[in-house]
Amino acid sequence: MTAPTTLSQDELKTLVGQAALHYVVPGEIVGVGTGSTVNKFIDALATIKDSIRGAVSSSEASTARLQALGIPVFDANEVERLSVYIDGADEIDGAGYMVKGGGAALTREKIVAALAERFVCIADESKLVPALGAFPLPVEVIPMAAAQIVRRFAAMGGQATLRCKDGQPLVTDNGQHILDVRGLSIAEPLAFESQVNQWPGVVTVGVFAHQKAHVCLLGTAQGVRTLQF
Ligand SMILES: O=C(CO)[C@H](O)[C@H](O)COP(=O)(O)O
């Protein structure tokens, strides 16, 4: 009898990164997210780069990786629509609603996702949750509004902290800051996203409900599970 093989989280990411190639439309430009799972997708995309026009990228990091592998990167303003946007998530629920922004790229991710007809989320099975809220919610904010946004989250039971890197506030690709909010219960993702989006100084909230996933390729011990929403 053969013992079951246990795949590492890294191997599960590779698996879903490769599986996502199935959703890439030949001859077109593909929307590309950010993160360690997307890096696996970019590596896989490089193997079929001659069959696509290029990519619209959601971060400086993904742009650098795409270009290093010889994949042309287009500005989002040059593109009217994309067939597909492929990205990871920090959490995804059974309806395709997600929390994103662990890699601080949430604003550009939402912008590129909004150009796409289909959002394909690639994730290992640890990301599938019954309800959003365990992962600290990333929110990109204009620095001068940070303190009042922290107070607004406190009023709804959340503890917001400024994300730092090397002892300094992290600065996003857009020159702004990130708050990570713990202790929230996000029972109604659509309403929550709309509410927080209206607060002055919020650039982007990391709940992706209006730009939810249509498909999730989930890496599991049994292989890639496809969830349709
Ligand atoms: O939202 C993101 C970056 O802003 C990523 O998609 C998210 O953090 C998941 O990353 P990883 O694939 O490394 O787990």
Side-chain angles (χ1 to χ4, degrees), residues 6-14 124:
T6 312
L7 294 177
S8 67
Q9 195 181 31
D10 194 63
E11 288 167 325
L12 293 179
K13 289 178 182 186
T14 303
D124 66 85

Side-chain angles (χ1 to χ4, degrees), residues 42-43 46 49 60-73:
I42 294 174
D43 295 347
K49 67 181 174 194
E60 302 296 344
S62 289
T63 297
R65 195 176 188 96
L66 287 159
Q67 289 176 335
L69 291 169
I71 300 169
V73 176

